């Protein structure tokens, strides 16, 4: 990684440089990434006099995707940007007025909107389990309810990609992982996916916007079209090596792999950086190509494979002489689970309209599921004697003294000011460290129960 | 829909108003939504003298998602915006320079980049089948290769959502469909998903940004948190009706549905607009609530259901007294297929570096799959005597005269100028019309073969 961009999220937050072009992933305001009902609820509550009741909303999930053993919190840094830049400008207010979305008093209220409350939650890169209180947003009902949609959008998307990335990272066992799924998802979701993949353990990305925005190292050399553009494969390899040097990666499966490998080493010399295989039986080809490269004296030339990989395919190549994996579709679509089922629920609110009225727990309680536990919750993950996590303990009363050192939530926003921003590399390191403290069964790709039970106190 | 925004894409294209804030989905430039290898290929081709070879790239898919009977082309309008605004500004060029992505001559070339070629393709809203040449991008290799990633990102994402929307629309049989998946996907993917859902037959969206950007009608009233905020359900309903009128939709499953329905009609009167059920056994509840509403004299009050619906759940409610469906997760994640497998392949290129050299077909031809058919292709869909489509005919030679009236591709970009932009409502109408000309089996939700065979001529 170069010095200027160190995998940290140092770009300006949303909206700081709206007058400059060239920020492919900067959005001036996040306020309309919002379901209309947040605004109509605001209007009705303003009129009823209940809008200012102190409220606590929690983000949690009732279950992990089927068979998954842990979830990964990702997107927290993007949530902080989104909250900071959640502002209604004149153009947005005009839109709401012209379309009759809300009434005049509500528009006036929105014009002044700045979140002034508190947010606490699991730090980004942490793991989570069913019922883990991932994030708590506290303030007036009015200021908190508006943030529901954008917070869920970010966490549901980014955490889904990070979970897939984490499993692939486990499967790769330390071999480098390249994120190359931009073409398989929305062009801006791709940038967030690249960020989430980095959190989950990926090393590099093909997506230039992700490099630009988040400083994630970018990689890439050539596609089949480059070979087809030229009159011969040798001509294409020569053109690439002339321009990119012999350390480049040559794609060897446009025509015949064996011939291509021979040509590649002939053109680039035994110092050829790598060959890439993008189709066929990767296990078989990797062994054959390794043998061929070694026979040609190119024993340092690496082998990169990139064909429809997921965590299982990666694991199946563990014994193959593969030096790096490029992953696209299955990564950016969460390997079968493209979204998490996180919800944003009111769990406590002031008992009356009086200022400083005491809070009381609230919860939906109809038949037919979707019930939840009322009350603002703490969470702790106590370790056993060997330092391995034993359980996810969640409670809404006082924290038992023996758990006080193992609490999971941290302050993210205090009185409307972001206090929890951190470098992306720190997030990535946290995820690695946390994985190292989970029971070994977290490393199993097979379906099973969550590796930690959630205990309610 | 109000007069100002008629479901047409009339907002300024990407980049026209970078100095204004308040454009939650306008992106100044799309040039970095690009895999690095597009740029390294450019560099190598510039140096080799092959960059200016006239080339044709085609977007197609080798297969539909398993069991799907047709695909839906969506995102074309967004592709046109993306191509128009694909420009490298100083900040982007600095990024590429500082990170050593490409060399000086390539940076100079990029600084002047404007796509000057031609794009033709299936009009948006059309259906497609395996091998359908959905889009063809023609120009120099250099100018075409750069567009690969962003074009695929847009088409793969938007078409996946539109296909799910189309199936849900078939299942709903004319009942209104509300898109409400913003919280289940990336916040900007959500806006594109809303647009794609509208193309596929959805009527409204909960996503304010989608209303703002594309003029899609927005809807929404209240969530469980609004009921929980108030001391009683009656208090919540009263607050909502006071503010939003009796035509509003009251959410009746926070506590006891039967009691809630009674309270709702008591508070709003028999003119209550609608009740919403968001959990439980929807089939059973819809019947019970309908009976109860009718007994209370609220026989015009509609029933909206919104709990974890997909096309099968919608179809299973066909006989239930349901008046509208709200769909979230399964819509924005493509109902099990969150991305399409569209690829962007070089299919023909100039035979030499000479100006006006004749084009010749090219194709990958290694073992192990991923082969494709060379040559720029036309496509036609001839109807039978009853006007029902018989086959998807694809060829690369001259168009047989009997197919000349049934060609599918239209001009989208001519000499770098967008000529194929059209109102979103026209796209939506096209999709409906096209569906009406497919064999009846297109309406079956069950797994099966594509409803039209692809014939290669």
């Amino acid at each position: 990684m170069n010095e200027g961009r160190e995998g940290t999220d140092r770009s300006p937050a949303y909206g700081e440089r709206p007058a400059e072009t060239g920020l492919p992933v900067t959005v001036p305001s996040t306020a309309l990434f919002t379901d209309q009902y947040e605004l109509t609820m605001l209007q009705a509550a303003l009129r009823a006099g209940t809008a200012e009741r102190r409220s606590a909303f929690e983000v949690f999930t009732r279950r992990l995707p089927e068979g998954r053993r842990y979830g990964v919190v990702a997107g927290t840094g993007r949530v902080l940007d989104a909250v900071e830049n959640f502002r209604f400008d004149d153009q947005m207010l005009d839109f709401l007025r012209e379309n009759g979305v809300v009434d005049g008093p509500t528009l006036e209220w929105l014009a002044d909107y700045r979140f002034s409350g508190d947010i606490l939650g699991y730090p980004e890169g942490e793991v989570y389990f069913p019922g883990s209180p991932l994030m708590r947003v506290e303030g007036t009902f009015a200021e908190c309810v508006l943030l529901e949609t954008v917070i869920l959008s970010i966490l549901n998307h980014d955490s889904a990609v990070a979970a897939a990335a984490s499993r692939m990272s486990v499967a790769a066992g330390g071999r480098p992982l390249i994120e190359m799924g931009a073409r398989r998802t929305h062009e801006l979701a791709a940038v967030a996916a690249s960020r989430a993949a980095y959190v989950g353990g990926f090393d590099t990305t093909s997506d230039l916007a992700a490099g630009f925005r988040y400083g994630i190292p970018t990689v890439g050399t050539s596609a089949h079209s480059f070979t087809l553009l030229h009159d011969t494969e040798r001509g294409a390899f020569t053109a690439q090596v002339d321009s990119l040097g012999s350390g480049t990666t040559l794609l060897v499966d446009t025509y015949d792999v064996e011939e291509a490998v021979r040509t590649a080493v002939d053109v680039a010399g035994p110092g050829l950086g790598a060959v890439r295989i993008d189709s066929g039986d990767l296990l078989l080809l990797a062994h054959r190509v390794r043998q061929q490269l070694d026979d040609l004296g190119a024993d340092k030339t690496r082998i990169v494979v990139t064909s429809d990989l997921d965590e299982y395919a990666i694991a199946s190549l563990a014994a193959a002489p593969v030096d790096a994996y490029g992953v696209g579709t299955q990564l950016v679509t969460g390997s079968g689970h493209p979204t998490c089922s996180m919800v944003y629920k009111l769990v406590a609110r002031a008992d009356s309209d009086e200022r400083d009225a005491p809070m009381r727990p609230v919860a939906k309680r109809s038949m037919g599921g979707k019930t939840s536990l009322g009350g603002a919750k703490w969470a702790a993950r106590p370790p056993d004697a060997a330092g391995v996590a034993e359980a996810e303990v969640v409670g809404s009363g006082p924290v038992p003294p023996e758990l006080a050192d193992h609490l999971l939530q941290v302050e993210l926003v205090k009185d409307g000011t972001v206090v929890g921003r951190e470098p992306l590399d720190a997030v990535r390191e946290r995820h690695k460290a946390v994985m190292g403290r989970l029971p070994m069964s977290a490393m199993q790709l097979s379906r099973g129960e969550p590796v930690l039970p959630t205990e309610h106190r």
Side-chain angles (χ1 to χ4, degrees), chain A:
Chain A
M1 222 171 295
N2 67 57
E3 287 180 66
R5 294 168 180 272
E6 306 171 324
T8 61
D9 183 345
R10 302 196 313 172
S11 301
Y14 289 133
E16 281 184 25
R17 296 192 288 186
E20 295 182 37
T21 58
L23 299 168
V25 285
T26 297
V27 171
S29 170
T30 52
L32 290 189
F33 298 137
T34 298
D35 285 330
Q36 176 163 311
Y37 77 3
E38 323 287 8
L39 270 63
T40 49
M41 285 192 277
L42 169 66
Q43 174 182 313
L46 283 173
R47 183 171 163 135
T50 48
E52 300 296 316
R53 285 187 174 187
R54 180 123 196 122
S55 298
F57 285 83
E58 271 178 6
V59 176
F60 63 94
T61 178
R62 295 185 181 94
R63 71 200 78 82
L64 297 178
E66 201 191 330
R68 286 282 179 88
R69 294 165 181 277
Y70 62 93
V72 179
V73 179
T76 313
R78 298 207 311 116
V79 165
L80 299 181
D81 287 348
V83 170
E84 206 167 48
N85 295 284
F86 196 97
R87 299 178 183 190
F88 293 86
D89 66 15
D90 289 346
Q91 210 181 349
M92 294 175 168
L93 294 170
D94 287 348
F95 163 74
L96 298 174
R97 182 182 300 109
E98 286 164 15
N99 288 272
V101 174
V102 284
D103 62 16
T106 308
L107 291 171
E108 274 175 47
W109 192 94
L110 291 175
D112 293 331
Y113 180 79
R114 301 282 184 278
F115 180 70
S116 70
D118 301 330
I119 302 181
L120 84 176
Y122 283 34
E124 188 163 9
E126 257 294 354
V127 297
Y128 69 86
F129 300 94
S132 295
L134 299 182
M135 190 174 277
R136 187 199 308 160
V137 180
E138 276 197 57
T140 66
F141 175 82
E143 66 182 345
C144 296
V145 75
L146 291 190
L147 300 177
E148 174 175 22
T149 311
V150 75
I151 287 178
L152 288 178
S153 289
I154 293 172
L155 294 179
N156 272 322
H157 174 268
D158 292 14
S159 299
V161 176
S166 177
R167 285 165 60 82
M168 291 171 185
S169 186
V170 165
R175 289 176 178 171
L177 286 162
I178 309 163
E179 184 280 304
M180 37 191 281
R183 66 190 54 198
R184 299 291 170 213
T185 186
H186 181 276
E187 66 276 19
L188 280 143
V191 184
S194 195
R195 182 185 181 282
Y198 191 71
V199 169
F202 273 59
D203 300 280
T204 53
T205 179
S206 65
D207 190 339
L208 290 169
F212 182 90
R213 177 69 180 83
Y214 296 115
I216 301 167
T218 58
V219 296
T221 51
S222 63
H224 297 116
S225 64
F226 186 78
T227 301
L228 296 173
L229 170 67
H230 293 85
D231 299 328
T232 62
E233 192 169 53
R234 176 176 293 270
F237 287 177
T238 304
Q240 185 174 330
V241 170
D242 277 355
S243 177
L244 302 173
S246 60
T248 193
T249 300
L250 293 171
L251 179 59
V252 294
D253 70 335
T254 304
Y255 306 117
D256 178 78
V257 173
E258 190 180 342
E259 196 181 318
V261 171
R262 198 179 314 120
T263 307
V265 177
D266 195 37
V267 166
L272 173 62
V275 296
R276 179 161 78 96
I277 309 171
D278 186 47
S279 57
D281 181 332
L282 297 179
L283 184 63
L284 182 72
L285 285 172
H287 280 289
R288 280 200 193 162
V289 168
R290 181 73 272 156
Q291 186 63 53
Q292 192 187 356
L293 285 169
D294 291 349
D295 290 347
L296 292 166
D299 58 323
K300 297 285 192 299
T301 300
R302 288 169 298 118
I303 297 176
V304 183
V305 296
T306 58
S307 183
D308 289 335
L309 299 176
D310 61 10
E311 60 268 48
Y312 304 103
I314 291 169
S316 76
L317 291 167
V322 166
D323 299 285
Y325 304 93
V327 190
T329 307
Q330 290 302 317
L331 174 62
V332 298
T333 58
S335 199
H337 301 286
T339 188
C340 306
S341 52
M342 292 178 195
V343 293
Y344 182 93
K345 293 292 172 192
L346 183 67
V347 294
R349 49 105 177 146
D351 215 6
S352 75
D353 301 338
E354 301 301 311
R355 216 179 165 75
D356 302 322
M359 301 277 276
R360 72 176 181 89
V362 294
K364 179 177 186 307
R365 54 164 197 271
S366 70
M367 309 274 287
K370 288 198 185 176
T371 56
S372 48
L373 238 57
K377 294 170 216 50
W378 50 262
R381 193 179 298 154
D384 66 12
V388 177
E390 285 192 309
E392 191 86 342
V393 187
V394 175
S396 57
V399 178
E402 73 276 16
L403 294 178
D405 288 343
H406 308 295
L407 292 174
L408 290 160
Q409 294 153 326
V410 298
E411 281 195 342
L412 298 169
V413 175
K414 187 70 192 161
D415 297 330
T417 301
V418 172
V419 297
R421 197 169 267 127
E422 55 186 344
L424 200 54
D425 278 336
V427 171
R428 189 165 185 264
E429 288 309 312
R430 173 179 299 116
H431 180 64
K432 271 191 200 146
V434 166
M435 288 298 292
R437 294 193 294 269
L438 290 183
M440 279 298 288
S441 55
M443 305 295 164
Q444 293 174 3
L445 299 177
S446 59
R447 289 178 171 224
E449 294 301 307
V451 291
L452 294 186
T454 306
E455 293 177 8
H456 292 278
R457 292 276 173 94

